Amino acid sequence: MAIIETKDLTYTYPGATTPSIQDVSVTINKGDFVILTGPSGCGKTTLCRTFNGLVPHFYNGTLEGEITVSGLKVADHKIHELARHVGLVFQNPENQLFALSVEKDVAFGLENSAMPRDEMRKRVDWALQMAGISELSERPPHELSGGQQQRVAIASVLSMQPDIMVLDEPTSFLDPVGAEKIFKVINELNKKLGITIILVEHRLDLAAKYANKVIVMNEGTVALTGTPREIFTSEKARLIGVGIPKATKLYQHLKRQGVTLKTVPVTTEETANLLLEMLNHD
Amino acid sequence: MSVFEGFKFRKVSSVIHNLDPRVKFFFVCILFVMAIMFNQFLALVVLFFIPLPFVFMARVNRQWLRSLRGAALLAVFIFATNFIFGYFYPSSSIPHVDGAIDTSMEYFALFERAAAMTLRFVVLIASFSVFFLTTSPDHLGLALQQSHVPYEFCFAFTTAVRFVPVLADEAQTIMDAQKARGLELESGNFIKRVRNYIPILIPLIVNAIRRSLELAEAMESRAWGASDKRTNLYKLNLKRADITMVLITVLMLIIALYIWLFIPVPSLTSLLFT
Amino acid sequence: MIEVKDLHFSYPTGLEALKGINLTVEDGEFLAIMGQNGAGKTTLVKHFNGLLKPTTGEVLVNGTSTQQISVAKLARNVGFVFQNPDHQLFSESVEDEIVFALKNFGFEGETIKKQVDWALNLLDIEQYRKTSPFMLSGGERKRVALASILAWDPQVIVMDEPTIGQDHQQKEKLQQFIIQLNAQKKTVVVVTHDVEFVAECNPHVILMSQGKILVSGKAEKVLTNPQLVAQASIVPPQITQIFLRLADLGLPTDVIDVHEATKILLEHLRRRK
């Protein structure tokens, strides 16, 4: 079932001469884990902003075409209405946390929606637990590490129990271990709670294993859609400049030399298993 | 800027920290009023000792002392001006014969008066510092809100407090980045020195604007303005300790008023020289 | 040459960020300093141009202690590229941005013009000469910042997390650029936690953890040691992860490059036939 559907979506920022996204038609199904990737400036972030109405309501400009999110037409609904269905997590953790304690930040959206205090307390504690930061609840966010801050940002969106969570390069400031923890949390939200995930990411080597769908954008349009396997072996994706994981690259190099593994691997585990199988078999 | 050290909140828990900020603010205000009511040295000495038990109960003695030390320079300045002005323009509160100050008693009286004025300032710093050292800005924002200050204002206040350390860090990074490109802040004449700060101010402002745009985006994405009747995760309730504290404060004020009206406070000079 | 001798550093808050660092960066070396956020990487390199001065121990740049020289003087030899270009860009045009540092270092007239042309060319931003840096995209701003530092031609170039926020193609360009700089006998020091980036450049690597150096050596030796890498809270390169799984077959495990990996696997297959 489609939870996000866009049809010939075109948007131009106020004052800009060319549209940032052009004729974008995508369908994202409930429960999908989608990676949205493409070179800098390809319109990924703009597309994400249309999902909760920041575009066009916050940025103004001209939006053409159609977009429906959780059954709501974005053009007809305010950002705060859409915010109940779509949570956005941004790249820089520092600029999305406003409160002086973690739990207060997690409660922010609920306070805005005028939720009664008792119910709010339950929701906050639940969101903190899901993000694995219950023990940080009273700490000031600015004293936490980048990875912890980003988990606070996730919890603060999660507390509103959205159907969809959109994360715009949430790990780019984090070290690999911090990034891995974020991906694991996101994956749990997807698999356990069935939240639809849209993850904007350049580092496909770390994120690919969780996703069932990859959308590649280029110069404001959708260039490719497919499973990670399809995308990573696509010549077009390589030409656009999608970073193919080394695990898949090794497969391609071997293939060029006449050694073909049984399937296309996406993760190191898969590559290692395929290699072990082949080498032990001969 | 060590005087500001005494106003930086650190998260600890104590009876004093847990008091309702409104109650603490009431207490500090009453102390403030009393410091204005009395100008006698001995009375102000007593006032100086009043916040001390609270400082120890809150275990903030070190930071509190640091704020007093930070205020020392200003205190010396206040003392000196009062002393000098009192010398050249003796007023009725300092006994003097023939319009000039020459006897040791007169000098002592002048000294006592200047010391009293200085002490008044110290009492103010000491009590306000206790307030800020033991009140989390979060609670302060909440107190403002429950005192019917509009939410936008309270939000602006807590957000400002939240971003002070972030902006301070950013300013330092920008300064480092420009120094690494050969900028020497301390070189040249006055005009040149002011101009030296342009490469620091512009990135600082540009980044602050960019940051506020991102913050606004994040706020919108979290249902800012969804309801007129915004709720709050926390609520301040007056507890028994708070009520006790209000009673102590009121009692203090009554005693002070009684003394002010009916008991003349002797000056140190009159005690020593008569 | 940069020599670091028993360097300890504590921030005024009392946080001890460096606990006894010993290190020599030779002229023309390509060094990557890796480790988790908060390991002390940036704190260490800020000593190279005197932005921070040792609490105890010393840092010598070309034989002179950094204690005695101003940042402005040290920076003439040690260029430092900050993580976020927005922390330094302030001029009305890209050209002015580059001229700023040149003037600070006392370059004059014709030389300034020559150096500006050279730097614009080097980073392929000639067409933005008169453009305001604030009008450019993130990747372009990063290149302007880099040009503004390379313009005075420092002997040592320190880059703090150059790959953050860069897409795949930008990373590849940057990588080629760094290798090219190093080939021109420049000393390059890169602070990063981007393992794949380092694996492709194969520089000398230092792993840091909690203010100390864990190990120092060639990337293919250091990054392929799972225990050390785990201690520094990073992960081995993908190719290494695969080869660690194949260790039982008698294949080497110190492989970080996809081309070498292919060669080894083909060789192994041939020998078995």
Side-chain angles (χ1 to χ4, degrees):
Chain A
M1 196 186 76
I3 196 157
I4 295 181
E5 199 158 19
T6 75
K7 221 168 156 194
D8 300 327
L9 198 65
T10 301
Y11 173 75
T12 314
Y13 282 102
T17 47
T18 52
S20 294
I21 50 173
Q22 200 162 10
D23 297 328
V24 171
S25 300
V26 288
T27 306
I28 291 165
N29 291 320
K30 194 166 173 10
D32 270 352
F33 191 127
V34 181
I35 291 180
L36 182 56
T37 191
S40 298
C42 69
K44 305 180 295 270
T45 300
T46 306
L47 184 60
C48 288
R49 285 175 181 150
T50 64
F51 294 155
N52 78 338
L54 281 174
V55 162
H57 303 306
F58 180 75
Y59 281 93
N60 300 318
T62 43
L63 184 72
E64 292 160 78
E66 272 176 49
I67 170 166
T68 316
V69 176
S70 282
L72 305 174
K73 284 213 184 316
V74 168
D76 303 339
H77 293 269
K78 294 217 171 85
I79 301 172
H80 63 76
E81 292 171 72
L82 292 159
R84 269 174 228 171
H85 301 278
V86 190
L88 242 70
V89 174
F90 299 87
Q91 185 176 22
N92 190 345
E94 210 168 57
N95 293 346
Q96 50 186 318
L97 304 176
F98 339 96
L100 293 151
S101 74
V102 166
E103 56 180 17
K104 191 84 169 110
D105 242 315
V106 175
F108 185 78
L110 304 176
E111 292 179 338
N112 286 331
S113 319
M115 181 179 277
R117 188 169 299 114
D118 297 338
E119 201 184 335
M120 180 155 36
R121 174 45 70 191
K122 274 183 216 145
R123 281 276 196 98
V124 168
D125 290 344
W126 170 79
L128 288 170
Q129 197 201 335
M130 287 306 296
I133 44 170
S134 296
E135 73 285 357
L136 303 177
S137 68
E138 294 191 7
R139 295 271 299 278
H142 59 270
E143 284 178 12
L144 305 178
S145 73
Q148 289 170 327
Q149 285 184 1
Q150 206 55 287
R151 278 192 279 165
V152 177
I154 290 175
S156 65
V157 161
L158 182 64
S159 66
M160 316 224 327
Q161 298 191 331
D163 317 321
I164 306 159
M165 212 182 248
V166 183
L167 305 101
D168 192 354
E169 297 190 48
T171 66
S172 62
F173 291 111
L174 310 184
D175 53 41
V177 174
E180 191 63 48
K181 274 187 197 150
I182 295 290
F183 290 139
K184 284 207 173 115
V185 169
I186 300 171
N187 188 45
E188 280 207 356
L189 299 181
N190 179 250
K191 302 290 167 339
K192 280 194 188 153
L193 303 177
I195 297 177
T196 307
I197 301 287
I198 298 161
L199 174 68
V200 178
E201 191 58 63
H202 290 304
R203 300 196 287 192
L204 300 179
D205 49 344
L206 297 174
K209 60 181 158 198
Y210 305 111
N212 66 334
K213 189 171 185 177
V214 178
I215 298 176
V216 182
M217 289 187 71
N218 192 28
E219 294 174 350
T221 60
V222 172
L224 283 169
T225 342
T227 63
R229 248 172 266 285
E230 286 162 5
I231 299 296
F232 294 161
T233 47
S234 140
E235 179 62 11
K236 199 172 167 196
R238 197 184 62 81
L239 290 176
I240 291 170
V242 175
I244 312 294
K246 290 285 154 51
T248 312
K249 261 199 178 158
L250 183 59
Y251 161 88
Q252 290 170 326
H253 279 251
L254 286 170
K255 194 176 172 191
R256 237 172 276 154
Q257 301 291 331
V259 181
T260 311
L261 300 176
K262 263 195 342 259
T263 53
V264 183
V266 173
T267 65
T268 54
E269 291 83 21
E270 286 176 6
T271 311
N273 288 339
L274 288 168
L275 284 169
L276 276 173
E277 198 183 314
M278 181 184 73
L279 295 172
N280 284 330
H281 203 74
D282 288 350
Chain B
M1 284 295 129
S2 54
V3 63
F4 292 123
E5 276 292 296
F7 294 89
K8 229 190 254 165
F9 174 76
R10 274 179 201 81
K11 202 144 196 156
V12 234
S13 193
S14 76
V15 192
I16 306 298
H17 283 84
N18 294 338
L19 281 177
D20 191 307
R22 293 168 295 181
V23 171
K24 270 185 278 188
F25 192 68
F26 177 60
F27 169 75
V28 170
C29 286
I30 293 304
L31 214 57
F32 182 88
V33 167
M34 292 195 299
I36 302 294
M37 271 161 63
F38 295 97
N39 55 10
Q40 298 89 342
F41 182 73
L42 287 178
L44 285 158
V45 168
V46 173
L47 286 182
F48 176 77
F49 282 105
I50 289 178
L52 276 181
F54 299 103
V55 171
F56 285 109
M57 277 160 82
R59 290 186 302 267
V60 289
N61 9 0
R62 275 187 38 220
Q63 295 96 303
W64 184 74
L65 275 177
R66 213 179 302 154
S67 74
L68 288 192
R69 220 181 308 145
L73 192 71
L74 213 52
V76 169
F77 177 74
I78 290 172
F79 182 83
T81 33
N82 269 290
F83 195 86
I84 293 164
F85 272 92
Y87 183 80
F88 289 111
Y89 306 101
S91 64
S92 56
S93 60
I94 299 162
H96 50 92
V97 188
D98 303 335
I101 288 170
D102 45 16
T103 70
S104 60
M105 186 197 83
E106 285 161 5
Y107 269 112
F108 192 83
L110 179 62
F111 180 84
E112 186 184 354
R113 170 148 178 89
M117 292 301 108
T118 312
L119 201 54
R120 180 184 273 172
F121 165 73
V122 172
V123 169
L124 296 183
I125 291 284
S127 49
F128 273 97
S129 154
V130 180
F131 176 74
F132 284 107
L133 281 173
T134 61
T135 307
S136 87
D138 229 358
H139 273 173
L140 195 57
L142 195 56
L144 288 175
Q145 210 179 319
Q146 283 185 227
S147 314
H148 302 289
V149 176
Y151 176 69
E152 284 75 14
F153 178 82
C154 308
F155 181 77
F157 169 76
T158 49
T159 313
V161 174
R162 144 96 177 81
F163 278 98
V164 163
V166 176
L167 289 180
D169 272 358
E170 185 152 68
Q172 184 62 50
T173 308
I174 292 171
M175 236 173 335
D176 282 352
Q178 304 300 33
K179 271 162 108 186
R181 294 203 296 163
L183 177 69
E184 285 180 275
L185 287 174
E186 307 301 329
S187 76
N189 58 25
F190 179 74
I191 306 272
K192 174 95 187 344
R193 279 185 196 207
V194 172
R195 283 181 60 97
N196 283 346
Y197 276 87
I198 292 175
I200 290 164
L201 283 176
I202 292 179
L204 197 61
I205 293 166
V206 169
N207 280 296
I209 293 171
R210 194 166 287 163
R211 191 188 292 281
S212 48
L213 190 69
E214 280 182 32
L215 275 170
E217 230 182 323
M219 281 163 62
E220 290 281 350
S221 303
R222 274 152 70 186
W224 173 262
S227 168
D228 296 336
K229 298 191 191 74
R230 204 178 181 278
T231 49
N232 203 314
L233 180 65
Y234 303 132
K235 186 171 194 284
L236 292 174
N237 287 316
L238 289 184
K239 295 179 291 283
R240 195 181 303 157
D242 295 311
I243 295 166
T244 318
M245 187 67 194
V246 171
L247 291 178
I248 292 174
T249 314
V250 171
L251 195 69
M252 237 167 52
L253 183 65
I254 292 170
I255 295 173
L257 275 172
Y258 182 80
I259 294 174
W260 188 59
L261 289 172
F262 303 112
I263 308 175
V265 180
S267 75
L268 208 53
T269 317
S270 61
L271 290 178
L272 287 173
F273 288 87
T274 51
Chain C
M1 190 166 80
I2 300 172
E3 293 159 275
V4 180
K5 291 178 182 166
D6 195 28
L7 168 62
H8 288 255
F9 180 79
S10 301
Y11 282 99
T13 53
L15 175 79
E16 197 184 1
L18 297 176
K19 303 166 184 166
I21 302 284
N22 286 291
L23 166 72
T24 306
V25 188
E26 302 284 353
D27 285 339
E29 191 172 335
F30 180 6
L31 174 69
I33 301 177
M34 306 188 71
Q36 117 190 80
N37 289 346
K41 305 179 300 249
T42 303
T43 308
L44 172 60
V45 291
K46 277 189 176 171
H47 280 84
F48 293 177
N49 67 348
L51 281 173
L52 295 174
K53 310 274 182 182
T55 307
T56 63
E58 62 178 348
V59 177
L60 305 174
V61 175
N62 294 333
T64 325
S65 163
T66 57
Q67 292 282 14
Q68 296 146 21
I69 323 175
S70 70
V71 178
K73 287 232 169 59
L74 282 163
R76 180 69 186 81
N77 285 322
V78 184
F80 197 115
V81 186
F82 278 70
Q83 193 183 108
N84 185 350
D86 296 335
H87 284 150
Q88 65 160 68
L89 301 178
F90 75 99
S91 302
E92 281 172 39
S93 70
V94 168
E95 185 175 27
D96 290 351
E97 195 65 48
I98 299 174
V99 169
F100 169 72
L102 292 172
K103 279 195 175 152
N104 286 337
F105 288 121
F107 286 75
E108 277 166 354
E110 272 306 296
T111 334
I112 290 189
K113 201 183 161 302
K114 212 185 81 200
Q115 291 303 102
V116 169
D117 289 346
W118 176 75
L120 287 171
N121 222 328
L122 191 65
L123 282 137
D124 199 18
I125 45 174
E126 177 64 45
Q127 68 273 33
Y128 302 126
R129 182 188 280 267
K130 298 289 177 198
T131 314
S132 158
F134 300 109
M135 301 297 290
L136 301 175
S137 73
E140 288 160 347
R141 290 206 296 276
K142 208 143 187 163
R143 259 147 65 204
V144 174
L146 190 54
S148 81
I149 280 138
L150 291 173
W152 77 79
D153 202 20
Q155 171 54 36
V156 183
I157 294 131
V158 182
M159 297 186 200
D160 193 4
E161 297 287 2
T163 63
I164 276 192
Q166 301 283 74
D167 67 27
H168 181 67
Q169 278 178 326
Q170 290 166 335
K171 259 190 218 181
E172 267 185 356
K173 268 192 203 154
L174 182 72
Q175 184 186 319
Q176 284 161 10
F177 186 74
I178 291 175
I179 290 172
Q180 189 190 326
L181 274 180
N182 186 236
Q184 290 160 8
K185 299 279 176 273
K186 294 278 175 210
T187 311
V188 180
V189 180
V190 177
V191 172
T192 183
H193 47 231
D194 194 328
V195 184
E196 298 299 336
F197 181 77
V198 173
E200 286 187 10
C201 300
N202 198 17
H204 192 94
V205 172
I206 282 176
L207 286 188
M208 285 185 72
S209 173
Q210 296 174 0
K212 287 185 184 149
I213 291 181
L214 284 177
V215 63
S216 157
K218 209 65 194 155
E220 61 199 18
K221 294 291 169 217
V222 172
L223 296 181
T224 53
N225 183 328
Q227 284 83 26
L228 286 171
V229 165
Q231 251 181 295
S233 288
I234 54 177
V235 286
Q238 285 214 322
I239 295 293
T240 313
Q241 289 178 29
I242 294 168
F243 274 74
L244 286 169
R245 289 279 307 276
L246 305 179
D248 289 346
L249 299 172
L251 293 172
T253 55
D254 56 346
V255 191
I256 55 176
D257 178 67
V258 69
H259 298 282
E260 206 197 330
T262 314
K263 217 186 289 170
I264 291 170
L265 287 170
L266 289 173
E267 179 69 19
H268 183 78
L269 281 169
R270 193 161 34 222
R271 221 178 303 147
R272 292 188 38 166
K273 275 178 189 162

